[in-house]
């Protein structure tokens, strides 16, 4: 529509000013406008042909008196239209090839990002899950934050962490930590063993990266990862190990009004991984068992430290209650509500990556005494 309007405007101007205004040369810009707007080569050819026909039209069509019309003016106009049309035709072809290559690269990048930060399943062993991530690098779905949840023989094990820095440079460390967790979570019977495996994997990754970098570009001595490991048992009991990471929030369903959000009671916190060796004894935090409907919301520090244009911190606790709303909690709704509030608070300009993970416990635990009473009663009847 834009190049057609340009041609129409040039013709109207020529008809309204027929005597002393040369407007046919403006038609040479129509193929260039078509190339910049739609990029369709068929449109460029049609507009170029229309420009040539109008340029070859007799002077009386646009200039009835023929004053000031040089004999070679039509030839100059035709050459201009033909040259612009040919250049735009080949430019549009190159643009089309670049767009196709960009689409292929986006598809490859999306597949690679999904491998690093896999989409969470909707449900794991009686726990409803939802996760979300906002990267500080525009166009990236993965940054310096990480999370994962796995169903293991020892319960549902969850990790959330934050690599020093943000954006694309931190993806290598994220991949190393998540790869180690996905293997260790199934093999280590204790949560402390998983944490030690993560520490060794991070050390190997940083050592390998330092060997391939120049001394001036290496920041391995300052590299660290904050990590929160959690294990949710079948009875709802939660065990956690914290290495410099924010403690999660616990949401309680309310029949009337928004959900009640409280930060879990903080326990002893270890230094982030990569700064100091782990101690011999790891302080494990144990919380009261989750009830049916209780929801844990894990987050990175980007959700609490982010500010708006006036320097006001993001009110995460209040937003969690509002996003949960009254009635049954829905993890996906909580994550979506917090993401939308974060983007509104910052105007879409994030200074740090943000990761969110919501887990709703809805399994009805069966007491151990009940499991033993039924077989005993059946044995007595027999």
């Amino acid at each position: 529509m834009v190049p057609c309007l340009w041609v129409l405007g040039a013709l109207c101007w020529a008809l309204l000013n027929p005597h002393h205004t040369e407007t046919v040369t403006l038609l040479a810009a129509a193929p260039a406008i078509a190339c910049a707007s739609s990029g369709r080569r068929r449109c460029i050819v049609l507009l170029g042909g229309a420009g040539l026909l109008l340029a070859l039209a007799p002077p009386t069509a646009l200039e009835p008196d023929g004053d000031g019309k040089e004999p070679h003016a039509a030839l100059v106009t035709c050459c201009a239209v033909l040259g612009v049309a040919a250049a735009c035709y080949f430019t549009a072809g190159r643009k089309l090839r670049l767009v196709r290559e960009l689409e292929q690269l986006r598809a490859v990048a999306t597949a690679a990002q999904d491998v690093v930060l896999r989409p969470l399943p909707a449900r794991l062993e009686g726990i409803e899950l939802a996760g979300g991530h906002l990267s500080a690098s525009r166009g990236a779905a993965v940054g310096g934050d990480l999370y994962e949840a796995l169903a293991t023989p020892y319960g549902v094990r969850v990790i959330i962490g934050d690599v020093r820095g943000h954006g694309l440079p931190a993806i290598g460390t994220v991949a190393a930590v998540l790869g180690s967790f996905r293997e260790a979570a199934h093999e280590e019977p204790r949560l402390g063993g998983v944490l030690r495996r993560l520490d060794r994997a991070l050390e190997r990754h940083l050592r390998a990266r330092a060997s391939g970098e120049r001394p001036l570009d290496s920041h391995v001595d300052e590299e660290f990862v904050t990590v929160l490991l959690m294990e949710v048992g079948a009875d709802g009991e939660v065990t956690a190990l914290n290495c410099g990471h924010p403690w999660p929030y616990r949401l309680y369903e309310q029949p009337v009004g928004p959900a009640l959000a409280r930060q879990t009671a903080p326990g002893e916190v270890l230094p982030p991984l990569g700064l100091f060796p782990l101690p011999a004894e790891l302080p494990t935090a144990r919380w009261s068992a989750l009830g049916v409907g209780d929801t844990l919301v894990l987050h990175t520090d980007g959700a609490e430290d982010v500010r708006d244009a006036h320097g006001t911190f993001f009110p995460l606790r209040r937003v969690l209650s509002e996003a949960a709303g009254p009635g049954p909690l829905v993890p996906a709704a909580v994550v979506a509500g917090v993401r939308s509030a974060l983007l509104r608070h910052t105007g879409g300009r994030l200074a740090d990556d943000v990761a969110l993970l919501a887990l709703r416990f809805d399994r009805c635990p069966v007491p151990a005494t009940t499991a033993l009473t039924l077989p005993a009663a059946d044995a007595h009847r027999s």
Side-chain angles (χ1 to χ4, degrees), residues 110-180:
T110 301
Q113 291 176 149
D114 289 342
V115 171
V116 176
L117 198 63
R118 299 184 302 196
L120 294 174
R123 190 176 181 83
L124 277 179
E125 299 294 334
I127 297 178
E128 189 177 353
L129 300 172
H133 185 272
L134 291 173
S135 177
S137 296
R138 189 173 182 178
V142 180
D145 292 351
L146 58 99
Y147 59 82
E148 182 64 287
L150 300 172
T152 71
Y154 316 103
V156 175
R157 287 180 168 175
V158 180
I159 183 175
I160 187 168
D162 187 0
V163 178
R164 175 188 173 273
H166 60 269
L168 299 178
I171 293 181
T173 306
V174 169
V177 174
L178 284 179
S180 177

Side-chain angles (χ1 to χ4, degrees), residues 3-295:
C4 291
L5 290 176
W6 177 270
V7 173
L8 182 62
L11 293 177
C12 292
W13 190 6
L15 292 174
L16 294 175
N17 301 277
H19 297 287
H20 304 290
T21 305
E22 182 67 31
T23 59
V24 182
T25 54
L26 295 176
L27 300 175
I33 297 175
C35 179
S37 57
S38 66
R40 296 181 179 179
R41 289 184 288 184
R42 181 181 300 177
C43 182
I44 295 173
V45 171
L46 292 176
L47 288 171
L52 288 175
L53 292 177
L54 293 173
L56 292 173
T60 54
L62 296 179
E63 297 180 0
D65 298 337
D67 296 337
K69 188 69 174 181
E70 299 181 2
H72 62 279
L75 180 61
V76 173
T77 303
C78 290
C79 292
V81 173
L82 185 61
V84 173
C88 292
Y89 183 86
F90 292 109
T91 302
R94 184 172 182 272
K95 177 183 176 181
L96 181 60
R97 290 192 299 270
L98 291 176
V99 168
R100 289 175 178 173
E101 292 179 3
L102 179 60
E103 292 175 352
Q104 293 176 354
L105 291 176
R106 283 180 176 176
V108 173
T110 301
Q113 291 176 149
D114 289 342
V115 171
V116 176
L117 198 63
R118 299 184 302 196
L120 294 174
R123 190 176 181 83
L124 277 179
E125 299 294 334
I127 297 178
E128 189 177 353
L129 300 172
H133 185 272
L134 291 173
S135 177
S137 296
R138 189 173 182 178
V142 180
D145 292 351
L146 58 99
Y147 59 82
E148 182 64 287
L150 300 172
T152 71
Y154 316 103
V156 175
R157 287 180 168 175
V158 180
I159 183 175
I160 187 168
D162 187 0
V163 178
R164 175 188 173 273
H166 60 269
L168 299 178
I171 293 181
T173 306
V174 169
V177 174
L178 284 179
S180 177
F181 172 77
R182 288 164 182 161
E183 181 180 0
H186 293 278
E187 297 180 354
E188 296 291 338
R190 296 184 178 276
L191 205 59
V194 178
L195 184 62
R196 296 189 187 279
R197 291 273 291 271
L198 296 181
D199 186 52
R200 292 195 295 268
L202 178 62
E203 182 181 359
R204 290 193 300 269
H205 168 72
L206 297 180
R207 191 185 305 115
R209 198 182 71 178
S211 62
E213 293 182 347
R214 295 180 298 175
L216 295 179
D217 296 336
S218 178
H219 301 281
V220 175
D221 294 339
E222 303 175 2
E223 191 76 26
F224 60 86
V225 182
T226 66
V227 169
L228 176 64
L229 284 178
M230 282 195 348
E231 180 181 298
V232 183
D235 55 355
E237 183 180 357
V238 181
T239 305
L241 281 171
N242 194 335
C243 294
H245 200 82
W247 291 101
Y249 283 86
R250 188 167 179 174
L251 303 181
Y252 301 89
E253 294 181 356
Q254 301 293 322
V256 179
L260 181 62
R262 292 178 179 175
Q263 196 163 23
T264 56
E268 186 176 350
V269 179
L270 294 169
L273 295 180
L275 291 181
F276 305 100
L278 292 175
E281 294 293 333
L282 299 178
T284 303
R286 297 184 182 276
W287 306 328
S288 58
L290 297 175
V292 177
D294 290 351
T295 301

